[in-house]
Amino acid sequence: IAAGPKLIIADEPTTALDVTTQAQVLRLLKRLVDEDQIGLVLITHDLAVVAGVADKIAIMRAGEVVEAGPTVELFRDLKHPYSQALFEASSHQPPRIPPAVSGGTPVLAVDNVVRDYPLPRKSLFAPPLAFRAVDHVTLRVERGENVGLVGESGCGKSTLARAIMALEPTQGGAITIDGSAIDPRHGASFETRRKMQVVFQDPYGSFNPRQRVDTLVSEPFHLLKSAAPQGAERERRIARALEEVGLPAGELVDVFLRIAIARALIIEPSLIILDEAVSALDVSIRAQILDLLADLSDRLQLSYLFISHDLHVVRAITDRVLVMRAGKIVEEGPTEDVFANPKHAYTQELLAATPNLERALREREAIA
């Protein structure tokens, strides 16, 4: 805005942001439109965001505008099948079989974990200082259970995930995977690492583009050492992993997230950590991936630790949720209980900042 433009084109400006930061950015965009009379073209896959900001909406598919009109009128009377499918997908909740908590050894146990980062000394003889990114966090994930971890950027979610994956040392507490302890300084053994896998936020960046799909998917076999399958058994395991995620064996499909999930599945882990795995997807593709994850969890008794700033996704896929702020868990409980009746002020703030399609339409109707 330094050059005083008449038009701003905002292409997915809030996709990677947590809900509180997203709300601030959206307020800024609306202020520029209202006070500075700047035109705004907002490109997004989030229907709730566009309903709260845009006066008029155009819905595109395969390079063509299939439906357009004023925001409230369009959403209240969607005519095109594609528009209707997008609207339904925005509130999609995959069918789940509630996990039967056995009371045995949890798949993941985190007890009073602390992660400190050293800070520069203020003077030569000053005591050493540290920034506490994870502050005595405790959590459990049972077999077949999906647990969500939410909070704004910088609260310690990804740091905790790296500690669980034994990618960073901890300065206190204990972490066990299926009963096997992770050494706080030296990390996890190969046997422990094979019990957990991760699907990253950016599957594109986690692959070597020069490698074939079968090579990428079979990468975790190195954790099995001498027990890694060879020959026909290796090919069978690769084919099965690809089929589990809806990719026929040998078909090079440009669906990197499904390949990332197949890679996580191939050594049959007990726990998969999904770190913002669906945050960049449009609502229709996101609904398909959530259906896939729910189906895999139910059929294979997989446990997920689902880290996300998208509260709609967490509500749709998880059984329990933990809310993290400044390195601490401030609230936890069954997902529906926490969302329907949040106790902590920070949880209430997160939910209030989350874009809601129906709420945005009602607000527009009230001021019309």
Side-chain angles (χ1 to χ4, degrees):
I1 62 175
K6 300 296 183 183
L7 175 68
I8 293 177
I9 300 175
D11 189 357
E12 299 284 2
T14 62
T15 297
L17 303 180
D18 62 71
V19 291
T20 50
T21 306
Q22 179 187 58
Q24 295 170 14
V25 171
L26 294 176
R27 282 197 297 270
L28 171 61
L29 291 174
K30 287 192 282 188
R31 184 184 64 78
L32 292 173
V33 172
D34 296 338
E35 297 180 7
D36 298 346
Q37 296 297 295
I38 296 175
L40 174 66
V41 176
L42 178 64
I43 302 169
T44 182
H45 63 254
D46 192 322
L47 301 188
V49 166
V50 78
V53 174
D55 302 310
K56 294 184 291 185
I57 295 175
I59 298 175
M60 289 189 71
R61 184 188 188 191
E64 295 183 356
V65 174
V66 297
E67 194 163 357
T71 300
V72 175
E73 288 86 339
L74 184 140
F75 274 119
R76 292 302 189 205
D77 187 24
L78 293 167
K79 293 182 172 58
H80 195 278
Y82 178 68
S83 305
Q84 295 167 358
L86 283 181
F87 186 83
E88 292 172 3
S90 68
S91 58
H92 177 72
Q93 188 158 352
R96 287 289 320 283
I97 300 173
V101 180
S102 62
T105 302
V107 168
L108 170 65
V110 176
D111 292 297
N112 286 310
V113 163
V114 172
R115 174 60 173 131
D116 291 334
Y117 291 99
L119 296 174
R121 294 175 185 265
K122 293 186 175 180
S123 66
L124 181 62
F125 300 106
L129 301 175
F131 171 73
R132 180 150 292 179
V134 177
D135 191 356
H136 294 93
V137 167
T138 296
L139 66 89
R140 294 285 187 279
V141 180
E142 305 294 340
R143 192 167 306 281
E145 186 182 34
N146 298 346
V147 175
L149 181 62
V150 302
E152 61 190 356
S153 299
C155 72
K157 305 187 302 295
S158 293
T159 300
L160 176 60
R162 290 195 296 271
I164 292 170
M165 292 184 282
L167 299 178
E168 293 199 10
T170 55
Q171 284 69 49
I175 301 172
T176 60
I177 307 292
D178 241 356
S180 301
I182 293 177
D183 188 292
R185 294 188 177 275
H186 302 102
S189 65
F190 276 83
E191 177 62 26
T192 303
R193 285 187 185 277
R194 70 161 297 275
K195 297 177 180 179
M196 61 177 168
Q197 288 291 292
V198 62
V199 178
F200 292 104
Q201 179 176 3
D202 178 19
Y204 304 93
S206 62
F207 292 139
N208 183 339
R210 297 186 178 186
Q211 291 184 336
R212 290 164 49 92
V213 170
D214 59 348
T215 303
L216 296 172
V217 171
S218 62
E219 202 173 69
F221 279 153
H222 79 278
L223 295 173
L224 304 182
K225 293 188 173 181
S226 60
Q230 304 293 329
E233 175 61 15
R234 177 181 180 277
E235 297 304 316
R236 187 189 68 80
R237 292 276 292 272
I238 293 171
R240 187 178 68 183
L242 290 173
E243 288 166 2
E244 291 279 15
V245 299
L247 296 179
E251 184 175 333
L252 295 179
V253 182
D254 190 23
V255 186
F256 287 95
L257 182 55
R258 289 179 185 265
I259 297 173
I261 296 170
R263 180 172 65 176
L265 286 174
I266 198 163
I267 56 173
E268 301 173 352
S270 303
L271 173 70
I272 294 181
I273 299 172
L274 298 120
D275 189 359
E276 301 283 6
V278 300
S279 61
L281 301 179
D282 65 64
V283 290
S284 55
I285 300 299
R286 183 182 71 188
Q288 295 173 27
I289 295 297
L290 292 180
D291 281 342
L292 170 65
L293 292 172
D295 175 64
L296 291 172
S297 178
D298 291 342
R299 286 194 296 108
L300 306 179
Q301 280 294 284
L302 270 174
S303 300
Y304 298 140
L305 179 60
F306 211 104
I307 300 171
S308 181
H309 63 255
D310 190 327
L311 301 191
H312 292 300
V313 168
V314 170
R315 189 171 193 174
I317 194 68
T318 63
D319 306 300
R320 286 191 300 115
V321 64
L322 299 96
V323 181
M324 196 170 187
R325 184 186 191 189
K328 297 181 178 181
I329 302 298
V330 298
E331 187 165 356
E332 62 179 297
T335 300
E336 278 306 311
D337 292 352
V338 171
F339 275 79
N341 187 27
K343 301 290 194 302
H344 196 277
Y346 178 66
T347 310
Q348 296 168 3
E349 180 185 340
L350 284 180
L351 291 173
T354 303
N356 181 281
L357 179 55
E358 187 57 38
R359 183 176 64 208
L361 294 177
R362 287 199 303 267
E363 289 174 354
R364 283 185 169 274
E365 289 171 332
I367 62 176

